[in-house]
Amino acid sequence: DGGITQSPKYLFRKEGQNVTLSCEQNLNHDAMYWYRQDPGQGLRLIYYSQIVNDFQKGDIAEGYSVSREKKESFPLTVTSAQKNPTAFYLCASSITSGGAIEQFFGPGTRLTVL
Amino acid sequence: GENVEQHPSTLSVQEGDSAVIKCTYSDSASNYFPWYKQELGKRPQLIIDIRSNVGEKKDQRIAVTLNKTAKHFSLHITETQPEDSAVYFCAASPGGGTSGSRLTFGEGTQLTVNP
């Protein structure tokens, strides 16, 4: 299961605290993505980045922030402004050209707000 | 933006029967349609994809069909086996431009194959 990794696997947070989820890839992919998965709601895009030092909001960016300082890394911060942060978070990466745009997913981080 | 609808949300079949999952999309600019399988507690994995320049693609027991005019595409699994039990997601992508390779996912179908 190499290629794209996420840590930690489980994360517990108290209300009002910010928390950062890690995502690293060694696939030399330009693009990286963060999704949130809730039961019965599929995968919803939070943020994505197609190149270092640039990123765009997805469909549910409120209460989240990201950075893309290195090609290999795309950390996601869940801020205290996110009203319902308890969810399963998936990171993914892909190339951005050539037509083959399969996204490869990490194993996910399950965040629970206590 | 793109909107993808997926039906049914749950599907139960007997082993050996066929299963069909259908998706519709709204953005005519979408040209890439992957299907992902997610087993319980695991990450989604691509099982098959189709691009808008073809109408059908097969890979052993799995096939995907695309109707661009009607903006819908379907996943067909034949001779289902218990290990096919999982959540299946369809997705659509514009495949370029300012949106790049971002995917919009359907809400998923929980497929259960009963022995």
Side-chain angles (χ1 to χ4, degrees):
Chain A
D1 282 344
I4 181 164
T5 58
Q6 293 183 241
S7 61
K9 187 173 182 179
Y10 298 98
L11 190 56
F12 298 90
R13 184 194 98 176
K14 293 182 179 180
E15 278 194 38
Q17 290 181 336
N18 292 355
V19 63
T20 297
L21 282 59
S22 169
C23 178
E24 304 277 333
Q25 54 98 2
N26 62 5
L27 301 169
N28 200 33
H29 286 169
D30 288 312
M32 297 187 74
Y33 314 81
W34 273 105
Y35 294 93
R36 170 179 172 143
Q37 187 173 27
D38 295 284
Q41 294 196 39
L43 282 71
R44 293 184 290 169
L45 183 65
I46 304 172
Y47 269 98
Y48 65 108
S49 167
Q50 297 189 78
I51 196 169
V52 175
N53 292 322
D54 188 38
F55 48 83
Q56 291 79 39
K57 293 182 178 180
D59 299 319
I60 55 166
E62 185 175 353
Y64 300 97
S65 66
V66 294
S67 63
R68 187 83 188 278
E69 297 178 0
K70 299 187 300 181
K71 187 175 185 178
E72 303 80 16
S73 179
F74 191 39
L76 173 74
T77 297
V78 184
T79 76
S80 56
Q82 169 49 236
K83 295 178 181 177
N84 286 307
T86 295
F88 188 52
Y89 291 88
L90 284 160
C91 179
S93 70
S94 75
I95 63 173
T96 56
S97 62
I101 48 176
E102 175 183 356
Q103 290 189 13
F104 293 84
F105 285 85
T109 292
R110 190 167 296 280
L111 173 64
T112 302
V113 174
L114 304 174
Chain B
E2 176 66 275
N3 181 50
V4 176
E5 295 189 356
Q6 183 172 346
H7 300 280
S9 56
T10 61
L11 179 59
S12 182
V13 300
Q14 289 298 122
E15 183 176 359
D17 288 350
S18 295
V20 180
I21 303 170
K22 299 181 179 181
C23 289
T24 61
Y25 63 99
S26 61
D27 189 351
S28 57
S30 288
N31 61 11
Y32 174 67
F33 307 92
W35 286 87
Y36 284 81
K37 175 183 180 182
Q38 186 178 27
E39 297 178 2
L40 187 64
K42 295 189 177 180
R43 70 188 80 188
Q45 291 192 308
L46 180 73
I47 56 171
I48 195 167
D49 57 13
I50 191 167
R51 287 169 175 78
S52 59
N53 58 345
V54 296
E56 184 175 3
K57 183 178 179 180
K58 290 183 180 179
D59 183 3
Q60 299 182 352
R61 297 186 296 109
I62 295 173
V64 57
T65 59
L66 171 65
N67 183 326
K68 281 199 69 179
T69 302
K71 292 185 190 158
H72 67 70
F73 56 112
S74 300
L75 178 71
H76 304 252
I77 306 174
T78 59
E79 301 173 19
T80 54
Q81 301 167 3
E83 52 264 38
D84 293 329
S85 296
V87 179
Y88 291 81
F89 294 99
C90 64
S93 171
T98 56
S99 295
S101 49
R102 64 168 289 175
L103 293 173
T104 300
F105 283 85
E107 294 186 347
T109 296
Q110 172 68 63
L111 173 64
T112 302
V113 180
N114 301 302

